[in-house]
Amino acid sequence: MAGTAGRTSPDLSELTAGGAVPVGTGAGTAERVAAILRERITEGYFPPGSRLSEEALSAALAVSRNTLREAFRLLTHERLLEHRLNRGVFVRVLAVEDLVDIYQVRLLVECSALRALGEPPYRLDDVEAAVATGERAAAVDEWAACSTANIRFHQALAALAGSPRVNELMRNVLAELRLAFHVMADPRRFHEPYLTRNRQLVDRLAAGDAAGAERMLGFYLEDSRRQLAEAYTMRLAAEE
């Protein structure tokens, strides 16, 4: 796709910054490498269309190329990367159909997590923390950090289900969704309204109104899907 195929990896000097644990060696090394790369993709460190250099990444992470290739395989299975014949491994560029499917999964999982809540009070520490982080990022015009906080907010909502499998599913779905956020020409205009809606959702849950929060979330996700899909369609058409 025009405008994406020629991108290269960003500077890798900060790849494992921000508290990432050393990769190490032995069993599970490929999974740890995949976790670091997944986290960086989720944070927007590797934008869609970026080519991931085996040589540079294996040196930056101090792992073998075989280990790195296994990590690539894991992330390709998660739909975050794709292998292009004779060209290498790239961060995926989503299609509009991917967005529609992602939001269908989000509606099913996130709304179900709220619907299944028992009697209040609910354990909202992680939800509240994500909202507060997003508000602080917005206050200093750090919209990439605000986007990451929003991802964390929805991960925390799904985690209210208390299921490790739901957590893993949402981790992968939300990491894939982050690939689409880069199409927004004005990230402030996209993310700022949802800061208020995130706060309203957590306040409704804190008040013990899970049913009301679920209804709010349903409208919220539909608005987000429509807005993102429209922007995405326009951006992809412009790049063809």
mmCIF file with all atom_site columns, all heavy atoms in Angstrom, residues 26-40:
data_model
loop_
_atom_site.group_PDB
_atom_site.id
_atom_site.type_symbol
_atom_site.label_atom_id
_atom_site.label_alt_id
_atom_site.label_comp_id
_atom_site.label_asym_id
_atom_site.label_entity_id
_atom_site.label_seq_id
_atom_site.pdbx_PDB_ins_code
_atom_site.Cartn_x
_atom_site.Cartn_y
_atom_site.Cartn_z
_atom_site.occupancy
_atom_site.B_iso_or_equiv
_atom_site.pdbx_formal_charge
_atom_site.auth_seq_id
_atom_site.auth_comp_id
_atom_site.auth_asym_id
_atom_site.auth_atom_id
_atom_site.pdbx_PDB_model_num
ATOM 1   N N   . GLY A 1 26 ? 17.042 -19.024 27.346 1.00 0.00 ? 26 GLY A N   1
ATOM 2   C CA  . GLY A 1 26 ? 16.399 -20.234 27.833 1.00 0.00 ? 26 GLY A CA  1
ATOM 3   C C   . GLY A 1 26 ? 14.937 -20.311 27.443 1.00 0.00 ? 26 GLY A C   1
ATOM 4   O O   . GLY A 1 26 ? 14.452 -19.596 26.560 1.00 0.00 ? 26 GLY A O   1
ATOM 5   N N   . ALA A 1 27 ? 14.225 -21.208 28.136 1.00 0.00 ? 27 ALA A N   1
ATOM 6   C CA  . ALA A 1 27 ? 12.823 -21.456 27.820 1.00 0.00 ? 27 ALA A CA  1
ATOM 7   C C   . ALA A 1 27 ? 12.012 -20.183 27.963 1.00 0.00 ? 27 ALA A C   1
ATOM 8   O O   . ALA A 1 27 ? 12.173 -19.424 28.922 1.00 0.00 ? 27 ALA A O   1
ATOM 9   C CB  . ALA A 1 27 ? 12.267 -22.547 28.742 1.00 0.00 ? 27 ALA A CB  1
ATOM 10  N N   . GLY A 1 28 ? 11.146 -19.955 26.994 1.00 0.00 ? 28 GLY A N   1
ATOM 11  C CA  . GLY A 1 28 ? 10.262 -18.801 27.050 1.00 0.00 ? 28 GLY A CA  1
ATOM 12  C C   . GLY A 1 28 ? 10.871 -17.514 26.532 1.00 0.00 ? 28 GLY A C   1
ATOM 13  O O   . GLY A 1 28 ? 10.219 -16.464 26.588 1.00 0.00 ? 28 GLY A O   1
ATOM 14  N N   . THR A 1 29 ? 12.098 -17.577 26.014 1.00 0.00 ? 29 THR A N   1
ATOM 15  C CA  . THR A 1 29 ? 12.735 -16.345 25.536 1.00 0.00 ? 29 THR A CA  1
ATOM 16  C C   . THR A 1 29 ? 11.955 -15.731 24.395 1.00 0.00 ? 29 THR A C   1
ATOM 17  O O   . THR A 1 29 ? 11.755 -14.509 24.342 1.00 0.00 ? 29 THR A O   1
ATOM 18  C CB  . THR A 1 29 ? 14.189 -16.621 25.093 1.00 0.00 ? 29 THR A CB  1
ATOM 19  O OG1 . THR A 1 29 ? 14.912 -17.197 26.178 1.00 0.00 ? 29 THR A OG1 1
ATOM 20  C CG2 . THR A 1 29 ? 14.865 -15.335 24.657 1.00 0.00 ? 29 THR A CG2 1
ATOM 21  N N   . ALA A 1 30 ? 11.506 -16.540 23.439 1.00 0.00 ? 30 ALA A N   1
ATOM 22  C CA  . ALA A 1 30 ? 10.746 -16.012 22.301 1.00 0.00 ? 30 ALA A CA  1
ATOM 23  C C   . ALA A 1 30 ? 9.469  -15.335 22.762 1.00 0.00 ? 30 ALA A C   1
ATOM 24  O O   . ALA A 1 30 ? 9.081  -14.286 22.229 1.00 0.00 ? 30 ALA A O   1
ATOM 25  C CB  . ALA A 1 30 ? 10.422 -17.138 21.317 1.00 0.00 ? 30 ALA A CB  1
ATOM 26  N N   . GLU A 1 31 ? 8.824  -15.903 23.779 1.00 0.00 ? 31 GLU A N   1
ATOM 27  C CA  . GLU A 1 31 ? 7.604  -15.282 24.308 1.00 0.00 ? 31 GLU A CA  1
ATOM 28  C C   . GLU A 1 31 ? 7.905  -13.934 24.942 1.00 0.00 ? 31 GLU A C   1
ATOM 29  O O   . GLU A 1 31 ? 7.117  -12.988 24.820 1.00 0.00 ? 31 GLU A O   1
ATOM 30  C CB  . GLU A 1 31 ? 6.942  -16.215 25.329 1.00 0.00 ? 31 GLU A CB  1
ATOM 31  C CG  . GLU A 1 31 ? 6.261  -17.435 24.729 1.00 0.00 ? 31 GLU A CG  1
ATOM 32  C CD  . GLU A 1 31 ? 7.230  -18.549 24.360 1.00 0.00 ? 31 GLU A CD  1
ATOM 33  O OE1 . GLU A 1 31 ? 8.455  -18.398 24.635 1.00 0.00 ? 31 GLU A OE1 1
ATOM 34  O OE2 . GLU A 1 31 ? 6.781  -19.560 23.799 1.00 0.00 ? 31 GLU A OE2 1
ATOM 35  N N   . ARG A 1 32 ? 9.062  -13.825 25.638 1.00 0.00 ? 32 ARG A N   1
ATOM 36  C CA  . ARG A 1 32 ? 9.431  -12.545 26.247 1.00 0.00 ? 32 ARG A CA  1
ATOM 37  C C   . ARG A 1 32 ? 9.756  -11.501 25.182 1.00 0.00 ? 32 ARG A C   1
ATOM 38  O O   . ARG A 1 32 ? 9.412  -10.319 25.322 1.00 0.00 ? 32 ARG A O   1
ATOM 39  C CB  . ARG A 1 32 ? 10.593 -12.738 27.215 1.00 0.00 ? 32 ARG A CB  1
ATOM 40  C CG  . ARG A 1 32 ? 10.223 -13.536 28.464 1.00 0.00 ? 32 ARG A CG  1
ATOM 41  C CD  . ARG A 1 32 ? 11.301 -13.434 29.530 1.00 0.00 ? 32 ARG A CD  1
ATOM 42  N NE  . ARG A 1 32 ? 12.520 -14.134 29.163 1.00 0.00 ? 32 ARG A NE  1
ATOM 43  C CZ  . ARG A 1 32 ? 12.732 -15.438 29.339 1.00 0.00 ? 32 ARG A CZ  1
ATOM 44  N NH1 . ARG A 1 32 ? 11.782 -16.196 29.882 1.00 0.00 ? 32 ARG A NH1 1
ATOM 45  N NH2 . ARG A 1 32 ? 13.881 -15.994 28.992 1.00 0.00 ? 32 ARG A NH2 1
ATOM 46  N N   . VAL A 1 33 ? 10.442 -11.938 24.127 1.00 0.00 ? 33 VAL A N   1
ATOM 47  C CA  . VAL A 1 33 ? 10.712 -11.025 23.015 1.00 0.00 ? 33 VAL A CA  1
ATOM 48  C C   . VAL A 1 33 ? 9.402  -10.568 22.380 1.00 0.00 ? 33 VAL A C   1
ATOM 49  O O   . VAL A 1 33 ? 9.205  -9.373  22.102 1.00 0.00 ? 33 VAL A O   1
ATOM 50  C CB  . VAL A 1 33 ? 11.613 -11.703 21.962 1.00 0.00 ? 33 VAL A CB  1
ATOM 51  C CG1 . VAL A 1 33 ? 11.722 -10.835 20.707 1.00 0.00 ? 33 VAL A CG1 1
ATOM 52  C CG2 . VAL A 1 33 ? 12.998 -11.966 22.537 1.00 0.00 ? 33 VAL A CG2 1
ATOM 53  N N   . ALA A 1 34 ? 8.499  -11.508 22.167 1.00 0.00 ? 34 ALA A N   1
ATOM 54  C CA  . ALA A 1 34 ? 7.199  -11.157 21.591 1.00 0.00 ? 34 ALA A CA  1
ATOM 55  C C   . ALA A 1 34 ? 6.458  -10.170 22.482 1.00 0.00 ? 34 ALA A C   1
ATOM 56  O O   . ALA A 1 34 ? 5.805  -9.240  21.991 1.00 0.00 ? 34 ALA A O   1
ATOM 57  C CB  . ALA A 1 34 ? 6.358  -12.418 21.369 1.00 0.00 ? 34 ALA A CB  1
ATOM 58  N N   . ALA A 1 35 ? 6.567  -10.348 23.791 1.00 0.00 ? 35 ALA A N   1
ATOM 59  C CA  . ALA A 1 35 ? 5.882  -9.451  24.722 1.00 0.00 ? 35 ALA A CA  1
ATOM 60  C C   . ALA A 1 35 ? 6.431  -8.027  24.615 1.00 0.00 ? 35 ALA A C   1
ATOM 61  O O   . ALA A 1 35 ? 5.667  -7.055  24.652 1.00 0.00 ? 35 ALA A O   1
ATOM 62  C CB  . ALA A 1 35 ? 6.019  -9.968  26.154 1.00 0.00 ? 35 ALA A CB  1
ATOM 63  N N   . ILE A 1 36 ? 7.755  -7.897  24.489 1.00 0.00 ? 36 ILE A N   1
ATOM 64  C CA  . ILE A 1 36 ? 8.359  -6.573  24.340 1.00 0.00 ? 36 ILE A CA  1
ATOM 65  C C   . ILE A 1 36 ? 7.902  -5.921  23.041 1.00 0.00 ? 36 ILE A C   1
ATOM 66  O O   . ILE A 1 36 ? 7.486  -4.758  23.014 1.00 0.00 ? 36 ILE A O   1
ATOM 67  C CB  . ILE A 1 36 ? 9.893  -6.667  24.381 1.00 0.00 ? 36 ILE A CB  1
ATOM 68  C CG1 . ILE A 1 36 ? 10.359 -7.022  25.793 1.00 0.00 ? 36 ILE A CG1 1
ATOM 69  C CG2 . ILE A 1 36 ? 10.537 -5.354  23.927 1.00 0.00 ? 36 ILE A CG2 1
ATOM 70  C CD1 . ILE A 1 36 ? 11.840 -7.330  25.888 1.00 0.00 ? 36 ILE A CD1 1
ATOM 71  N N   . LEU A 1 37 ? 7.948  -6.673  21.949 1.00 0.00 ? 37 LEU A N   1
ATOM 72  C CA  . LEU A 1 37 ? 7.547  -6.107  20.658 1.00 0.00 ? 37 LEU A CA  1
ATOM 73  C C   . LEU A 1 37 ? 6.061  -5.778  20.647 1.00 0.00 ? 37 LEU A C   1
ATOM 74  O O   . LEU A 1 37 ? 5.646  -4.738  20.108 1.00 0.00 ? 37 LEU A O   1
ATOM 75  C CB  . LEU A 1 37 ? 7.887  -7.091  19.539 1.00 0.00 ? 37 LEU A CB  1
ATOM 76  C CG  . LEU A 1 37 ? 9.371  -7.386  19.333 1.00 0.00 ? 37 LEU A CG  1
ATOM 77  C CD1 . LEU A 1 37 ? 9.564  -8.395  18.215 1.00 0.00 ? 37 LEU A CD1 1
ATOM 78  C CD2 . LEU A 1 37 ? 10.157 -6.115  19.036 1.00 0.00 ? 37 LEU A CD2 1
ATOM 79  N N   . ARG A 1 38 ? 5.257  -6.639  21.251 1.00 0.00 ? 38 ARG A N   1
ATOM 80  C CA  . ARG A 1 38 ? 3.809  -6.375  21.315 1.00 0.00 ? 38 ARG A CA  1
ATOM 81  C C   . ARG A 1 38 ? 3.533  -5.089  22.083 1.00 0.00 ? 38 ARG A C   1
ATOM 82  O O   . ARG A 1 38 ? 2.705  -4.266  21.692 1.00 0.00 ? 38 ARG A O   1
ATOM 83  C CB  . ARG A 1 38 ? 3.089  -7.542  21.989 1.00 0.00 ? 38 ARG A CB  1
ATOM 84  C CG  . ARG A 1 38 ? 1.569  -7.414  21.994 1.00 0.00 ? 38 ARG A CG  1
ATOM 85  C CD  . ARG A 1 38 ? 0.917  -8.478  22.843 1.00 0.00 ? 38 ARG A CD  1
ATOM 86  N NE  . ARG A 1 38 ? 1.271  -9.823  22.429 1.00 0.00 ? 38 ARG A NE  1
ATOM 87  C CZ  . ARG A 1 38 ? 2.053  -10.640 23.121 1.00 0.00 ? 38 ARG A CZ  1
ATOM 88  N NH1 . ARG A 1 38 ? 2.578  -10.252 24.298 1.00 0.00 ? 38 ARG A NH1 1
ATOM 89  N NH2 . ARG A 1 38 ? 2.315  -11.852 22.683 1.00 0.00 ? 38 ARG A NH2 1
ATOM 90  N N   . GLU A 1 39 ? 4.235  -4.924  23.205 1.00 0.00 ? 39 GLU A N   1
ATOM 91  C CA  . GLU A 1 39 ? 4.066  -3.724  24.013 1.00 0.00 ? 39 GLU A CA  1
ATOM 92  C C   . GLU A 1 39 ? 4.442  -2.476  23.226 1.00 0.00 ? 39 GLU A C   1
ATOM 93  O O   . GLU A 1 39 ? 3.742  -1.464  23.270 1.00 0.00 ? 39 GLU A O   1
ATOM 94  C CB  . GLU A 1 39 ? 4.930  -3.824  25.276 1.00 0.00 ? 39 GLU A CB  1
ATOM 95  C CG  . GLU A 1 39 ? 4.771  -2.675  26.250 1.00 0.00 ? 39 GLU A CG  1
ATOM 96  C CD  . GLU A 1 39 ? 3.488  -2.760  27.060 1.00 0.00 ? 39 GLU A CD  1
ATOM 97  O OE1 . GLU A 1 39 ? 2.796  -3.803  26.988 1.00 0.00 ? 39 GLU A OE1 1
ATOM 98  O OE2 . GLU A 1 39 ? 3.180  -1.779  27.767 1.00 0.00 ? 39 GLU A OE2 1
ATOM 99  N N   . ARG A 1 40 ? 5.536  -2.561  22.494 1.00 0.00 ? 40 ARG A N   1
ATOM 100 C CA  . ARG A 1 40 ? 5.977  -1.399  21.719 1.00 0.00 ? 40 ARG A CA  1
ATOM 101 C C   . ARG A 1 40 ? 5.026  -1.109  20.562 1.00 0.00 ? 40 ARG A C   1
ATOM 102 O O   . ARG A 1 40 ? 4.791  0.053   20.218 1.00 0.00 ? 40 ARG A O   1
ATOM 103 C CB  . ARG A 1 40 ? 7.400  -1.617  21.216 1.00 0.00 ? 40 ARG A CB  1
ATOM 104 C CG  . ARG A 1 40 ? 8.438  -1.609  22.342 1.00 0.00 ? 40 ARG A CG  1
ATOM 105 C CD  . ARG A 1 40 ? 8.383  -0.272  23.095 1.00 0.00 ? 40 ARG A CD  1
ATOM 106 N NE  . ARG A 1 40 ? 9.420  -0.176  24.110 1.00 0.00 ? 40 ARG A NE  1
ATOM 107 C CZ  . ARG A 1 40 ? 9.185  -0.153  25.411 1.00 0.00 ? 40 ARG A CZ  1
ATOM 108 N NH1 . ARG A 1 40 ? 7.941  -0.252  25.852 1.00 0.00 ? 40 ARG A NH1 1
ATOM 109 N NH2 . ARG A 1 40 ? 10.161 -0.054  26.274 1.00 0.00 ? 40 ARG A NH2 1
#
